[in-house]
């Protein structure tokens, strides 16, 4: 990319908006505010360890100021970046039990934002990449400031989804249904610049499986067989294992290199660990838009109807051939789907 032809996130979004003559600009403004919040979170994440930002909520730093945990900070920054814009009717965050209507003092809009402010935050202390995940729906209820119905929409109705990865560089990756675009934050100008146009999961892709094998003893026999096959020498074997334990980082690698990411249901967590609305669904939209596949082990993730704001769901996503193979194995072996598959999270709430 020449320094004369840099494509910033704002330019990209505005150019996308021009493709939709009836667009009001609300969607553009929403994405720009998310990007601003991402920059603020990135700044704070990069300070982790230097300041006392890692402390608990009640801690005080050396200046005697109250210190917030980073995930609480990220949650508040996102809400405050978006509450006044007039674009949203409500938000729902992994950090809050109930959805968050836009305060009465601000105008309400037609969109709904679901977000995980700082996913993988337990990795902060060890300098592993973490991220913010977001998902945007159009309001479907008649409630001015949103309702549960607006939040509990299947993933296929998402208008946009994205994540920000706070890694060796900060990147924002998003889709609005016309491909996946990756922007890298250039700290010298404070702008996200297009670095990864039209991201596609490579085919054929790297043979990589990504799963927490510490859960092996709780896995179903079918899940164990699947991983044993991938580790083996046979036709469907020859895989390497890569697991960071930070969803944004594991999915980012899967997008760039290929492979399969799994968080299956098991005997201890029948629906796995990941949340449908804040983690699985937005990542599924991105992965599909990049040419990959995303399933709960039986059903396309984007078709699953959420029943509660904090539903959990088994996740298998990445290179289409690997996900198809995994789903085929899990649904065919012994004739039964994996524990929790197709359950749509069974309405489990925190
Ligand atoms: P969090 O939302 O509490 O941060 O947990 C979600 C994270 C994901 O980033 C990651 O994929 C998963 O938890 C890892 O879980 P585990 O430690 O069980 O492997
Ligand atoms: Mg999370």
């Amino acid at each position: 990319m020449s320094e004369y032809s840099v494509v910033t996130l704002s330019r990209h979004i505005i150019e996308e908006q021009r493709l939709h003559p009836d667009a009001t600009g609300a969607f553009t403004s929403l994405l720009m505010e998310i990007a601003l919040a991402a920059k603020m979170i990135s700044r704070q994440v990069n300070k982790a360890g230097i300041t006392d930002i890692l402390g608990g909520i009640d801690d005080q730093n050396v200046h005697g100021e109250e210190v917030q945990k980073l995930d609480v900070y990220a949650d508040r920054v996102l809400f405050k970046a978006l509450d006044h814009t007039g674009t949203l009717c409500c938000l729902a965050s992994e950090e809050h039990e109930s959805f968050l209507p836009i305060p009465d003092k601000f105008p309400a809009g037609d969109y709904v934002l679901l977000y995980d402010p700082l996913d993988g935050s337990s990795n902060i202390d060890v300098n592993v990449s973490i991220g913010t995940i977001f998902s945007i729906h159009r309001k479907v209820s008649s409630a001015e400031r949103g309702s549960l119905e607006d939040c509990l929409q299947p993933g296929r109705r998402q208008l946009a989804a994205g994540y920000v990865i706070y890694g060796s560089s900060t990147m924002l990756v998003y889709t609005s249904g016309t491909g996946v675009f990756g922007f890298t934050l250039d700290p010298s100008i404070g702008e996200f610049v297009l670095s990864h146009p039209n991201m596609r999961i490579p085919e054929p892709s790297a043979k990589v499986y990504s799963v927490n094998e510490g859960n092996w003893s709780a896995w179903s026999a079918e899940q164990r067989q699947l991983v044993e096959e991938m580790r083996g020498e046979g036709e469907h074997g020859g895989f390497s294992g890569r697991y960071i334990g930070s969803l944004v980082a594991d999915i980012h690698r899967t997008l760039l290199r290929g492979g399969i990411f799994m968080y299956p249901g098991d005997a201890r967590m029948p629906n796995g660990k990941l949340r449908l609305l804040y983690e699985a669904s937005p990542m599924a939209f991105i992965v599909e838009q990049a040419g990959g596949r995303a399933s709960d082990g039986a059903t396309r993730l984007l078709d699953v109807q959420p029943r509660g704001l904090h539903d959990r769901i088994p996740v298998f996503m990445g290179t289409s051939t690997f996900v198809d193979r995994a789903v085929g194995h899990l649904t065919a072996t012994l004739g039964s789907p994996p524990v929790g598959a197709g359950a749509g999270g069974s309405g489990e709430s925190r």
Side-chain angles (χ1 to χ4, degrees):
M1 182 170 45
S2 142
E3 64 181 300
Y4 301 113
S5 64
V6 68
V7 177
T8 61
L9 176 65
S10 47
R11 173 176 163 183
H12 177 84
I13 295 171
I14 288 165
E15 286 178 357
E16 286 270 301
Q17 186 191 320
R18 287 202 194 111
L19 301 175
H20 305 278
D22 50 341
T24 60
F27 192 64
T28 301
S29 125
L30 179 51
L31 285 172
M32 292 316 301
E33 296 300 337
I34 291 172
L36 172 66
K39 286 185 217 173
M40 293 175 67
I41 297 167
S42 176
R43 183 188 59 185
Q44 216 62 10
V45 167
N46 288 335
K47 280 199 257 174
I50 301 172
T51 66
D52 291 330
I53 196 73
L54 294 180
I57 297 173
D58 297 329
D59 289 355
Q60 291 198 331
N61 65 16
V62 286
H63 311 292
E65 298 159 342
E66 187 181 283
V67 174
Q68 295 170 343
K69 279 171 84 176
L70 264 176
D71 41 10
V72 176
Y73 173 83
D75 184 61
R76 289 188 184 155
V77 162
L78 269 156
F79 186 81
K80 290 288 179 194
L82 293 157
D83 63 355
H84 59 280
T85 59
T87 55
L88 296 171
C89 60
C90 66
L91 302 87
S93 159
E94 193 189 287
E95 296 290 325
H96 296 268
E97 198 66 41
S98 309
F99 75 94
L100 309 165
I102 290 296
D104 288 339
K105 61 182 173 183
F106 298 124
D110 289 333
Y111 297 106
V112 180
L113 182 81
L114 306 156
Y115 65 101
D116 183 350
L118 210 55
D119 183 69
S121 52
S122 62
N123 288 310
I124 297 168
D125 306 21
V126 288
N127 233 330
V128 165
S129 299
I130 49 178
T132 296
I133 309 171
F134 61 91
S135 162
I136 300 170
H137 282 273
R138 192 180 296 282
K139 180 165 80 117
V140 288
S141 79
S142 55
E144 190 198 357
R145 282 162 206 279
S147 68
L148 210 47
E149 184 190 354
D150 296 311
C151 302
L152 300 182
Q153 301 188 55
R156 65 173 179 275
R157 294 214 197 120
Q158 288 172 103
L159 298 175
Y163 62 80
V164 184
I165 180 165
Y166 310 105
S168 41
S169 57
T170 295
M171 274 190 74
L172 187 152
V173 174
Y174 93 101
T175 182
S176 56
T178 57
V180 181
F181 297 89
F183 300 81
T184 302
L185 182 61
D186 180 341
S188 65
I189 56 171
E191 289 278 1
F192 282 105
V193 295
L194 184 62
S195 52
H196 295 64
N198 203 16
M199 295 169 78
R200 305 286 297 171
I201 297 181
E203 280 275 11
S205 78
K207 282 186 144 187
V208 169
Y209 72 88
S210 184
V211 69
N212 184 347
E213 293 192 67
N215 295 328
W216 181 277
S217 62
W219 284 351
S220 66
E222 294 90 330
Q223 180 64 36
R224 289 186 203 174
Q225 283 165 12
L226 177 66
V227 171
E228 267 168 357
E229 184 184 66
M230 289 191 281
R231 289 166 166 182
E233 302 294 329
E235 186 194 349
H236 300 293
F239 278 64
S240 291
R242 294 280 187 280
Y243 188 71
I244 298 169
S246 184
L247 182 67
V248 173
D250 280 315
I251 294 300
H252 191 63
R253 183 199 55 248
T254 304
L255 278 183
L256 293 176
R257 300 268 165 82
I260 180 168
F261 171 86
M262 300 178 274
Y263 209 116
D266 63 34
R268 289 190 290 257
M269 298 178 288
N271 294 309
K273 178 181 180 187
L274 300 177
R275 280 74 164 189
L276 174 58
L277 290 176
Y278 314 107
E279 296 165 335
S281 201
M283 290 307 195
F285 190 20
I286 294 166
V287 164
E288 282 202 5
Q289 282 290 315
R293 207 88 82 217
S295 170
D296 70 355
T299 304
R300 180 186 178 223
L301 271 172
L302 294 181
D303 285 337
V304 174
Q305 173 64 50
R307 295 178 194 164
L309 281 177
H310 297 284
D311 286 3
R312 296 175 194 265
I313 191 150
V315 168
F316 300 82
M317 60 172 78
T319 303
S320 299
T321 48
F322 301 157
V323 175
D324 289 349
R325 168 80 199 150
V327 171
H329 175 88
L330 294 168
T331 51
T333 313
L334 308 179
S336 62
V339 186
S346 72
E348 178 190 344
S349 293
R350 296 191 303 181

